[in-house]
Amino acid sequence: MSNTEGTDLIRLVVERENIDRLPKRFRMPSMVSIPAEADLDLTGFGELRASASGQYSHQELQNLKRSVGPVPITLVDLRQESHGFVNGMAVNWLGSHNGANKGLTNEEVQAVNDRLLNNLIREKSIRFDYVEGKSVFIEHPLEETVQVLSEEALAQLEGVQYKRFFVTDHHRPSDAEVDRFIAWVKELPDPMWLHFHCRGGVGRASTFFCMYDMMNNAANVSLDHILQRNTAIGGRDFNRMDPKDTYKYEAAQERLAFIGRFYTYCIHNNHNQYELSWTRWKEEQGS
């Protein structure tokens, strides 16, 4: 296991206070904003039952539910890093580049996440670290811990469904997670609203939102328009990269290439309801 749990590289931080507001970067197709001169193809977009955001607190999740409306909702958690909720606040064990669990298997990540949350339950006092630009400043230790929950437990409490895909921050999903996602989407009951979220609501949330849009609409909408309507509601512009950021730049290039490749997969396989897995299709394509 390459996890660095227990070292000073990982800090427990509060990401979102439990405040009555919407999650950071909350967006859904009905919020699309198009310049008058733009010619954006919105075929199938209004019918896409999906939204995206950054991590939410308990109250933010409740507001998310109200914004989506009275429909079945599945929270699609895209975070590989360990996280949960303390008294409704969203907390995270923050490592370098938010990659504390990078290199671990899904099972190892889940075990680490569960252990960290269970440890918090036993703490009489919890002190949160502060990382500028990455967390909320909590001045005093939390002396009375009322509730410690995993995200799945919070989903159950709020009467919504939950599914987790383990994706390293700033990176494209692994082929195994792509296979899991496709297989899962194929079995979704109708109707079902999917809410995709990661930490900040930018890279991973936008990637999976676009993947879901492609699986539903690639046969009728070009790749450029799929990506443009994602940015039109506040999603990531995948073409924006900073070559000076050596850690993120290569990963951003790989993610953009993956998105283009996944669109091609959808074009080739939407007619048979994605009977062929992503990995098998790649093998047949010799890539």
Side-chain angles (χ1 to χ4, degrees), residues 190-227:
D190 189 24
M192 178 58 70
W193 185 280
L194 303 186
H195 180 76
F196 300 97
H197 88 84
C198 51
R199 187 192 71 84
V202 183
R204 290 170 289 183
S206 296
T207 298
F208 276 76
F209 183 91
C210 288
M211 289 167 63
Y212 189 57
D213 194 2
M214 290 174 195
M215 289 186 70
N216 285 275
N217 296 305
N220 301 305
V221 183
S222 71
L223 174 60
D224 284 345
H225 283 278
I226 292 278
L227 298 183

Side-chain angles (χ1 to χ4, degrees), residues 1-260:
M1 296 173 63
S2 62
N3 180 264
T4 54
E5 180 188 359
T7 75
D8 59 1
L9 296 177
I10 297 179
R11 290 172 282 189
L12 176 62
V13 300
V14 172
E15 297 178 313
R16 301 291 287 179
E17 292 182 280
N18 195 25
I19 296 174
D20 184 12
R21 59 186 174 186
L22 278 168
K24 186 177 183 179
R25 298 191 178 95
F26 176 78
R27 56 197 184 271
M28 54 185 178
S30 62
M31 299 168 65
V32 65
S33 177
I34 309 172
E37 69 275 10
D39 183 22
L40 182 59
D41 187 350
L42 296 178
T43 302
F45 201 53
E47 295 72 43
L48 192 68
R49 298 188 184 100
S51 52
S53 76
Q55 181 63 62
Y56 38 74
S57 68
H58 191 166
Q59 288 193 65
E60 288 173 334
L61 173 57
Q62 293 172 330
N63 285 325
L64 181 162
K65 290 169 55 185
R66 284 190 281 269
S67 294
V68 169
V71 296
I73 299 172
T74 296
L75 304 176
V76 186
D77 179 2
L78 304 170
R79 306 186 68 176
Q80 183 188 58
E81 63 273 20
S82 299
H83 60 290
F85 300 87
V86 176
N87 291 358
M89 301 184 297
V91 303
N92 169 32
W93 282 266
L94 183 68
S96 178
H97 299 293
N98 199 29
N101 291 336
K102 186 177 181 180
L104 301 188
T105 67
N106 292 355
E107 293 75 18
E108 289 171 337
V109 170
Q110 192 62 64
V112 168
N113 207 148
D114 292 345
R115 182 167 63 253
L116 290 169
L117 288 172
N118 287 333
N119 288 344
L120 282 187
I121 293 173
R122 294 190 289 269
E123 292 289 340
K124 294 182 179 181
S125 175
I126 301 175
R127 180 178 294 278
F128 297 101
D129 294 314
Y130 174 67
V131 180
E132 187 174 358
K134 300 291 185 181
S135 69
V136 177
F137 178 66
I138 305 296
E139 184 175 2
H140 301 292
L142 188 63
E143 302 293 350
E144 295 184 7
T145 305
V146 177
Q147 188 183 63
V148 175
L149 294 174
S150 67
E151 187 160 340
E152 184 171 16
L154 179 63
Q156 292 172 349
L157 183 65
E158 284 298 320
V160 296
Q161 298 185 44
Y162 174 83
K163 184 69 174 179
R164 186 174 185 178
F165 295 94
F166 300 82
V167 185
T168 305
D169 204 358
H170 311 299
H171 290 68
R172 53 150 287 190
S174 68
D175 288 344
E177 291 303 90
V178 175
D179 280 341
R180 285 185 64 227
F181 178 70
I182 295 167
W184 177 71
V185 167
K186 288 167 57 177
E187 300 300 322
L188 283 174
D190 189 24
M192 178 58 70
W193 185 280
L194 303 186
H195 180 76
F196 300 97
H197 88 84
C198 51
R199 187 192 71 84
V202 183
R204 290 170 289 183
S206 296
T207 298
F208 276 76
F209 183 91
C210 288
M211 289 167 63
Y212 189 57
D213 194 2
M214 290 174 195
M215 289 186 70
N216 285 275
N217 296 305
N220 301 305
V221 183
S222 71
L223 174 60
D224 284 345
H225 283 278
I226 292 278
L227 298 183
Q228 287 175 33
R229 60 201 204 175
N230 163 64
T231 57
I233 62 171
R236 175 84 181 190
D237 180 353
F238 292 105
N239 289 293
R240 290 187 62 184
M241 308 178 198
D242 183 4
K244 296 179 182 178
D245 190 334
T246 55
Y247 178 82
K248 295 180 182 179
Y249 183 63
E250 183 177 352
Q253 288 182 308
E254 292 175 355
R255 181 172 56 198
L256 181 60
F258 160 75
I259 288 170

